[in-house]
Amino acid sequence: MGLNIIATNQAPAAIGPYSQAVQFGELLFTSGQIPLGLDGQVVEGGIEEQTHQVFRNLKAVLEAGGSSFAHVIKATVFIKDMNQFAQVNQIYAEYFGDHKPARSTVEVARLPKDVFVEIELIATVIVE
């Protein structure tokens, strides 16, 4: 059982020496996604626009790895300002619906490119 590197052009390319995701067995580990568009630029707007872009990026990476939000088992959310937690949480719930994976949310002093939010996921790969 080896590592399978996941890459898709439907999400922004990695901005450092890492992969968009790595599959190991039936587990998929995404790298933290920040609100970059496919052009590599931070999307305009506030916490809501940035959070939606992060989820669009995560959806693309999950699909490239043979998974989906319904198969996420753990999420880690990094936000710049805990006062924006309610907005992030509301958008998070839109993408996960009734599925409620384990989650940690951490306020951090700074994120890459000075964005407001970054999210990483661990999911299972859909086996048919």
Side-chain angles (χ1 to χ4, degrees):
M1 182 183 333
L3 297 178
N4 184 22
I5 304 302
I6 305 301
T8 178
N9 62 5
Q10 299 302 304
I15 58 175
Y18 59 89
S19 303
Q20 290 170 321
V22 174
Q23 178 188 349
F24 183 74
E26 293 183 5
L27 292 177
L28 182 69
F29 300 84
T30 74
S31 290
Q33 290 292 310
I34 61 174
L36 300 180
L38 292 178
D39 61 0
Q41 299 300 309
V42 175
V43 297
E44 292 186 23
I47 189 66
E48 292 89 2
E49 293 83 2
Q50 287 198 6
T51 304
H52 280 293
Q53 184 63 48
V54 166
F55 276 102
R56 285 191 290 273
N57 295 344
L58 287 167
K59 180 179 189 289
V61 173
L62 286 170
E63 288 176 353
S67 193
S68 70
F69 288 123
H71 291 83
V72 171
I73 55 177
K74 174 73 165 80
T76 306
V77 180
F78 304 94
I79 58 176
K80 190 171 181 177
D81 182 355
M82 196 60 83
N83 292 319
Q84 297 177 323
F85 178 75
Q87 294 101 308
V88 171
N89 203 41
Q90 180 178 355
I91 294 165
Y92 179 99
E94 290 176 27
Y95 288 88
F96 283 105
D98 291 334
H99 179 60
K100 294 182 175 34
R103 180 180 73 183
S104 301
T105 303
V106 181
E107 181 181 70
V108 295
R110 193 169 182 202
L111 289 165
K113 297 189 177 274
D114 292 317
V115 299
F116 301 132
V117 60
E118 178 174 1
I119 301 173
E120 64 184 27
L121 303 173
I122 301 172
T124 57
V125 176
I126 302 167
V127 178
E128 305 206 11

